[in-house]
Amino acid sequence: MISYFDVDKLSADRLLKEWQWLCPESLRLVAINAFGDLFLQKQDNAIFRLDITAGLLVRISDSLENFRNEARKPENQKTWFLSDIEAKLEQYGYRLNPEQCFGFKIPVVFKESGNRPNNVYMADLYECVSFLGDLHGQLRNQPDGAKVRLNIGKRPREDNG
C-alpha cells in the first residue's frame, strides 16, 4: 500500500498543470491515492478530492484535521483511496514506487474500457495525471455518449493572433 499522506516530494504545480481549467486557484497537495487522485487543500482549509478518472473536484472535508480523522475509517479508505482495489492489485504483484500510480490503458471515461481484462498498468504519476487533465479538459463540454476526436500532441494556439 502506498503512503497516502507522504506527498512532500511531489510537485502540486506540476500535477495540476493540465487541470487549471478545473483547479484555477493555488492548492496544496495533502494526500494522493494509488490511482493518482489528488487530495487538495484550498486557502479556506477545505479539502477536495480531484478524481482524475472522472474529471471531478469534490469537497470532502472542512479541514485537514477532519480529513485525516475521516481517512482512518474503512469506508472512507475504500471510497477515497480505493484501498480494496489497490490491495487486490498488490496481490497480483503490482508494486508502485512514489512517483507511480495505477493507470488504465483505455481510460475508464470511455465505454470501450469497460470489463477489459488487463486494462491496468503502472503509470508515471505526472504523465498519467497530466494526460487525464488534458483529456477531461477536451471532453468537459461534450455530452455523455458523444463521439469525440481527441487531439494528442502539441496544442494549437488558442489566440487569434
Side-chain angles (χ1 to χ4, degrees):
M1 299 288 251
I2 69 164
S3 179
Y4 305 122
F5 292 93
D6 188 15
V7 295
D8 292 339
K9 294 180 181 172
L10 298 175
S11 169
D13 290 339
R14 188 172 161 203
L15 287 166
L16 291 170
K17 184 177 180 190
E18 297 297 332
W19 290 94
Q20 291 301 306
W21 60 270
L22 183 61
C23 307
E25 64 188 270
S26 179
L27 300 166
R28 180 176 160 240
L29 180 65
V30 297
I32 191 165
N33 71 20
F35 294 85
D37 294 342
L38 308 177
F39 296 85
L40 305 159
Q41 186 175 33
K42 288 195 174 185
Q43 290 184 347
D44 67 357
N45 293 322
I47 305 297
F48 288 76
R49 176 183 177 196
L50 174 59
D51 181 335
I52 67 168
T53 301
L56 299 172
L57 185 67
V58 179
R59 184 183 181 125
I60 59 172
S61 182
D62 292 332
S63 71
L64 182 56
E65 181 181 355
N66 288 343
F67 170 59
R68 285 181 177 267
N69 289 334
E70 290 294 313
R72 291 185 186 107
K73 295 180 179 177
E75 64 270 17
N76 288 334
Q77 289 180 6
K78 285 182 179 182
T79 302
W80 295 340
F81 299 106
L82 309 170
S83 58
D84 53 341
I85 301 169
E86 178 186 4
K88 181 73 89 181
L89 289 169
E90 285 184 349
Q91 288 177 349
Y92 290 120
Y94 290 97
R95 298 282 184 268
L96 298 173
N97 73 40
E99 290 194 7
Q100 288 181 315
C101 67
F102 293 117
F104 298 94
K105 296 171 189 171
I106 299 174
V108 296
V109 69
F110 298 119
K111 69 178 179 178
E112 292 82 2
S113 74
N115 297 323
R116 262 184 109 71
N118 302 321
N119 194 30
V120 174
Y121 72 104
M122 294 188 313
D124 177 272
L125 174 65
Y126 291 102
E127 289 177 8
C128 186
V129 172
S130 292
F131 172 75
L132 289 173
D134 182 42
L135 175 67
H136 285 293
Q138 291 184 53
L139 296 176
R140 72 180 178 261
N141 296 321
Q142 298 299 317
D144 284 349
K147 290 189 177 201
V148 296
R149 171 168 284 167
L150 299 176
N151 296 313
I152 307 293
K154 190 172 183 175
R155 290 186 189 167
R157 290 179 50 149
E158 292 185 16
D159 61 15
N160 293 329

